[in-house]
Amino acid sequence: MPAPNQTITPLEHLSGTVERVTFHSTETGFAVLRVKVKGWREPVTLIGTTPQVNAGEWLDADGRWFTDPTHGRQFKAENVRLTHPDSLEGIEKYLGSGLIKNIGPVYAKKLVAKFGKDVFDIIENFSARLEEVEGVGPQRRHAIKEAWQQQRVIREIMAFLFSHGVTTSRAFRIYKAYGQQSIERIRKNPYILARDIWGIGFKTADEIAAKMGVAKDSPLRARAGVEYTLQELIGDGHCAFPCDALAIEAARILDVDLKVVDAAIADEVKAGVLVQERDAEGRELIYLATLHFAECALAASLARLLHGPHPCPIEQLEKAIEWVEGQAKLELAPAQREAIRTALRSKVMVITGGPGVGKTTLVHSILRIYRIKKMRVVLCAPTGRAAKRMSEVTGVEAKTIHRLLEYDPAKGGFKRDQQRPLEGDVFVVDEASMVDLQLAYQLIRAIPSRAALIIVGDVDQLPSVGPGSVLADLIASGVIPVVRLTEVFRQAAESAIITNAHRINQGMMPEFPEKKEDGEAAPAKPSDFYFVEADEPEQAAERLVKLIRDNIPRRFGFKPLDDIQLLTPMQRGGLGARALNANLQAALNPNGEAIERFGWSFRVGDKVMQIVNDYDKDIFNGDIGRIRAIDREEHEVRVVFDEHDVIYNFEELDELLPAYATTIHKSQGSEYPCVVVVMHTSHFVLLQRNLLYTAITRGRKLVVLVGSKKAIGMAIHRTDVKQRITTLAARLRQAI
């Protein structure tokens, strides 16, 4: 309300051609535009909100003039309307702005010269005529037509989302999922967005539903809210959750009566979306149907593998062990010898232990015996880096689990399953602590019944990012043979990384090199483990940049981008991955062509990480690559990963994050020549012993801790990790 006697300046109208898009946020729609207005010598600066805007478009706006102290006179628009330009100059600028894939400034000029103001109608209705333009053949013509139609629908989706007050940045993904029926399907059930579209959550879908008149206590909203609540709990690693606790949490989130949620749970169970089951402890648990099926099927598949004769029965075990020692020119430890006996007798077994205890030597020895017996050995790991390391150590090709199972984009699933099993006699899965319930199910069901299975991993590391505690559950079940290696070998014990990892795992502070009076480290011989104190977050952030850019490369010869990885417990905060990535990008890769998307500046030369599994691109969560090229005309970014190049549409860049710094969780399964680990009290919420232990064991040649000893102590002494709710161990005991 205006103050008494205060007059409100009436809205003024402004029209013109968008000369330049100075700034536009797809998240909020906020835009700063330079508009060419008739009668004005210079373009006018306009600020306002619009879901999408491109240079060359005709703009109509209502608003008021004001004078900014820094930028001068500007037009603040209360509403903005954009239409296709009608001048030849505007049409050329519009088509050449990068809006339409396969049309850059060169082809925009050619098209306008040929068709004039009819060019939009030609593209829309008579696209075959585009081939009359030099350089446009059937392939480019089809691509232009498809991109034009795609943009039209995406703009409609953006306008729809924008009118309902929500972000428009995921419009491209909505179009990819639903195509021409996008708006119709959203209107029918807005909550499908939370289920189907990466990056759109329940809260966004709920905002749209509310604007569309969906009642707060409607069954549609309650059912979607229950599923969302359970998905959030699954995000914490649970495979199921107690029914009463789930209902209370869902009612709190939805702000509705508990009876509404109870009815929604019952409806979801009846529909088969959820499964309700009482566990061995008498708890009434609620599962997502997919996870309940995966857990039951995984237990059944392991029971199937355990039964039947071993594929390579060896009667003279001791002779086999003596032979492998002779071949490898080493003497196995008693625990390793016992592990080989277990492996050669068991269809399924688990090998666990920390760094330096001989897991790799043991696996290599077992494989020597199997290979001399002409057994077909198959090695796999959850990540590309882990698979590559496995290949280097054993001399046998290893694949990621995803590639081993051969994803079929056409069917949306893996080609290898129980009907078309994998080929092999002995299967070895490394870094098993990373394998979640659903991936474990997909893998184990595809292993033929005649084969043997060896599962290798460090159960003391962080559990999988996805739901379940598969490795821990296999060990806890008591029905699968387990070998736990604990003896650190003399050569490994010379590494401070390994000795300190074990000290941390045993609840002791790590040992650091002694210091001279001037504060410089002065060990009797060079160490591979250091601590740099930085109590204040700002001080720590500055030292991290200096260490990675200058000190470590100068003293140890590691390359900042190729060899050094910065690890931190969390994404947010001054010492979180987000802020540290911005700092390191500015320090290590400040120049070059860049594109702004999803709150990040992606620059040629950047180190980036894939953060979702993209089976169509054959690239997976945690894979790290480098940006090699940005093609503005084709709307594409080329990223080179270890094994292949991957092309991303600009609107798919939400699958990538800068990877100069990454969270410790995201580093699982990877090893780096050098890791720098931030441990600060500002991370206190996430500080846990297994978190620090996992971070330390990512470093192969050098580990540098940066932060405070208080934070390190907090992490070491905090072992009260929330127990994940799973029932795999009980199902295994029942099945086997």
Side-chain angles (χ1 to χ4, degrees):
M1 291 290 290
N5 303 320
Q6 181 181 342
T7 58
I8 299 176
T9 307
L11 293 178
E12 295 185 50
H13 183 75
L14 185 141
S15 299
T17 303
V18 178
E19 184 76 10
R20 186 173 77 246
V21 180
T22 304
F23 175 81
H24 181 247
S25 167
T26 53
E27 296 290 330
T28 63
F30 177 76
V32 179
L33 311 175
R34 296 284 283 170
V35 183
K36 193 174 182 179
V37 180
K38 189 175 181 180
W40 289 71
R41 184 181 301 174
E42 296 293 330
V44 169
T45 298
L46 177 145
I47 61 172
T49 56
T50 179
Q52 191 178 41
V53 60
N54 287 90
E57 288 185 290
W58 181 260
L59 176 146
D60 283 293
D62 299 305
R64 297 180 178 88
W65 291 98
F66 77 104
T67 302
D68 183 273
T70 305
H71 302 290
R73 190 166 167 77
Q74 298 181 350
F75 189 82
K76 187 173 183 180
E78 290 197 6
N79 55 70
V80 175
R81 298 171 299 284
L82 293 160
T83 55
H84 289 162
D86 61 359
S87 71
L88 293 179
E89 181 187 359
I91 292 170
E92 185 179 324
K93 188 179 284 290
Y94 177 71
L95 287 175
S97 67
L99 171 73
I100 308 299
K101 194 173 180 179
N102 285 285
I103 301 181
V106 173
Y107 279 99
K109 194 176 197 68
K110 288 182 179 181
L111 289 167
V112 172
K114 177 69 178 176
F115 301 115
K117 292 184 179 181
D118 295 330
V119 66
F120 297 140
D121 186 48
I122 295 292
I123 295 172
E124 182 79 41
N125 300 306
F126 307 100
S127 62
R129 290 197 60 197
L130 293 174
E131 293 187 38
E132 296 173 18
V133 175
E134 183 186 356
V136 178
Q139 188 173 354
R140 184 177 287 271
R141 185 248 297 181
H142 285 301
I144 290 171
K145 171 77 171 178
E146 184 181 339
W148 176 265
Q149 291 177 334
Q150 184 184 94
Q151 273 300 321
R152 178 171 51 77
V153 177
I154 289 173
R155 287 169 78 86
E156 290 171 2
I157 297 168
M158 283 183 156
F160 173 80
L161 295 175
F162 200 68
S163 69
H164 288 89
V166 298
T167 175
T168 64
S169 61
R170 296 301 190 277
F172 177 79
R173 292 200 176 279
I174 295 172
Y175 173 80
K176 282 187 72 176
Y178 308 137
Q180 304 280 346
Q181 290 78 42
S182 295
I183 293 175
E184 181 185 338
R185 292 188 65 176
I186 297 168
R187 282 198 174 112
K188 188 175 180 181
N189 179 7
Y191 294 104
I192 60 172
L193 292 172
R195 184 189 66 211
D196 297 340
I197 308 301
W198 158 253
I200 294 184
F202 172 80
K203 292 177 182 177
T204 298
D206 203 30
E207 287 177 31
I208 297 174
K211 292 277 180 68
M212 290 170 54
V214 175
K216 190 176 180 179
D217 60 352
S218 76
L220 178 69
R221 180 173 185 263
R223 290 178 67 171
V226 165
E227 198 173 334
Y228 162 73
T229 305
L230 189 53
Q231 287 281 13
E232 287 292 291
L233 295 165
I234 288 167
D236 291 333
H238 301 298
C239 294
F241 212 71
C243 185
D244 291 345
L246 172 64
I248 291 169
E249 181 64 7
R252 184 191 67 79
I253 289 171
L254 295 169
D255 192 24
V256 297
D257 192 272
L258 199 57
K259 291 179 181 178
V260 175
V261 173
D262 288 337
I265 291 174
D267 288 343
E268 290 284 271
V269 170
K270 188 176 180 181
V273 177
L274 304 180
V275 172
Q276 187 168 355
E277 186 177 272
R278 190 182 296 274
D279 73 352
E281 299 173 25
R283 296 177 299 181
E284 204 67 43
L285 297 180
I286 299 290
Y287 302 75
L288 279 178
T290 51
L291 288 183
H292 181 267
F293 176 79
E295 199 173 78
C296 294
L298 175 56
S301 293
L302 284 165
R304 167 182 59 83
L305 281 179
L306 274 165
H307 294 139
H310 196 285
C312 185
I314 297 175
E315 295 179 4
Q316 296 179 315
L317 293 178
E318 300 311 313
K319 282 193 174 181
I321 293 170
E322 288 173 11
W323 174 84
V324 83
E325 285 182 319
Q327 288 291 307
K329 295 182 175 59
L330 55 78
E331 184 179 344
L332 295 168
Q336 290 177 311
R337 295 171 69 92
E338 184 55 39
I340 292 178
R341 295 186 191 100
T342 304
L344 298 178
R345 287 193 298 254
S346 307
K347 284 284 301 296
V348 180
M349 73 169 295
V350 171
I351 299 172
T352 189
V357 296
K359 293 195 302 294
T360 302
T361 301
L362 173 58
V363 170
H364 201 181
S365 298
I366 294 168
L367 295 186
R368 277 180 182 272
I369 295 171
Y370 281 136
R371 291 174 73 189
I372 200 67
K373 292 289 185 179
K374 307 299 183 185
M375 292 288 100
R376 292 171 297 172
V377 175
V378 179
L379 309 184
C380 63
T383 68
R385 283 175 174 254
K388 186 177 180 181
R389 190 174 70 250
M390 201 178 185
S391 298
E392 291 168 353
V393 170
T394 62
V396 180
E397 182 192 10
K399 294 183 178 180
T400 64
I401 296 172
H402 297 94
R403 292 193 177 101
L404 181 67
L405 294 173
E406 299 174 26
Y407 185 76
D408 183 358
K411 294 182 179 178
F414 293 111
K415 292 180 182 178
R416 298 291 188 167
D417 54 23
Q418 57 269 50
Q419 274 73 48
R420 188 168 176 257
L422 296 162
E423 296 172 5
D425 302 307
V426 180
F427 290 79
V428 181
V429 185
D430 198 13
E431 293 286 356
S433 63
M434 289 186 65
V435 180
D436 64 27
L437 173 64
Q438 288 165 306
L439 187 58
Y441 152 67
Q442 298 283 0
L443 173 63
I444 304 303
R445 71 169 180 163
I447 295 177
S449 298
R450 69 177 184 280
L453 171 64
I454 301 172
I455 299 166
V456 185
D458 186 348
V459 75
D460 294 319
Q461 286 187 20
L462 287 168
S464 60
V465 174
S469 302
V470 174
L471 180 60
D473 286 347
L474 295 184
I475 294 169
S477 71
V479 295
I480 291 175
V482 176
V483 171
R484 183 184 282 271
L485 302 175
T486 57
E487 181 186 349
V488 179
F489 289 93
R490 186 175 61 189
Q491 187 175 355
E494 294 176 2
S495 165
I497 296 174
I498 290 174
T499 55
N500 279 325
H502 285 278
R503 285 180 65 85
I504 289 166
N505 207 24
Q506 293 161 17
M508 296 184 286
M509 284 288 287
E511 294 178 333
F512 307 112
E514 294 180 6
K515 293 189 176 183
K516 297 187 295 188
E517 290 183 5
D518 61 4
E520 289 293 320
K525 60 180 180 178
S527 178
D528 57 6
F529 195 97
Y530 294 90
F531 171 67
V532 176
E533 193 158 13
D535 289 330
E536 296 301 322
E538 297 80 7
Q539 180 191 36
E542 289 175 9
R543 289 191 175 176
L544 287 166
V545 170
K546 192 175 179 183
L547 276 167
I548 293 169
R549 184 188 59 199
D550 304 322
N551 298 0
I552 293 174
R554 185 171 59 243
R555 183 168 177 184
F556 298 96
F558 293 120
K559 298 176 182 177
L561 285 173
D562 297 329
D563 301 329
I564 305 172
Q565 185 61 53
L566 176 55
L567 304 180
T568 180
M570 58 205 310
Q571 278 286 355
R572 301 195 178 277
L575 292 176
R578 190 174 187 87
L580 295 174
N581 267 311
N583 294 349
L584 287 171
Q585 185 190 51
L588 301 177
N589 191 30
N591 303 312
E593 188 173 4
I595 179 171
E596 302 282 340
R597 282 294 186 280
F598 304 103
W600 290 106
S601 175
F602 293 98
R603 183 169 291 140
V604 172
D606 275 347
K607 181 161 69 168
V608 291
M609 177 183 283
Q610 177 78 11
I611 59 170
V612 292
N613 290 335
D614 191 324
Y615 297 100
D616 294 336
K617 290 185 174 66
D618 195 29
I619 201 76
F620 304 102
N621 188 359
D623 288 351
I624 289 181
R626 297 279 289 277
I627 295 178
R628 289 295 185 227
I630 294 174
D631 188 331
R632 293 183 181 277
E633 184 169 315
E634 295 293 322
H635 293 204
E636 291 176 346
V637 173
R638 181 167 65 92
V639 181
V640 180
F641 291 89
D642 282 341
E643 297 184 16
H644 59 305
D645 287 13
V646 178
I647 301 298
Y648 293 83
N649 184 288
F650 283 176
E651 304 310 319
E652 296 174 317
L653 291 176
D654 57 344
E655 292 186 8
L656 294 176
L657 283 179
Y660 299 94
T662 187
T663 63
I664 296 167
H665 281 86
K666 286 287 186 187
S667 73
Q668 283 178 268
S670 296
E671 265 192 1
Y672 311 93
C674 169
V675 297
V676 178
V677 184
V678 193
M679 278 283 134
H680 196 270
T681 50
S682 60
H683 301 138
F684 71 94
V685 175
L686 292 178
L687 294 179
Q688 295 277 354
R689 183 185 297 176
N690 62 351
L691 184 89
L692 177 57
Y693 174 75
T694 300
I696 297 302
T697 52
R698 298 310 90 206
R700 191 163 65 246
K701 297 179 180 178
L702 179 67
V703 170
V704 181
L705 291 181
V706 179
S708 69
K709 289 184 179 179
K710 182 179 179 181
I712 296 170
M714 287 170 65
I716 290 170
H717 293 107
R718 190 181 290 171
T719 58
D720 55 334
V721 182
K722 287 183 180 177
Q723 195 70 28
R724 293 185 170 190
I725 298 173
T726 74
T727 45
L728 177 60
R731 292 188 198 283
L732 281 168
R733 286 191 288 270
Q734 188 176 5
I736 299 171

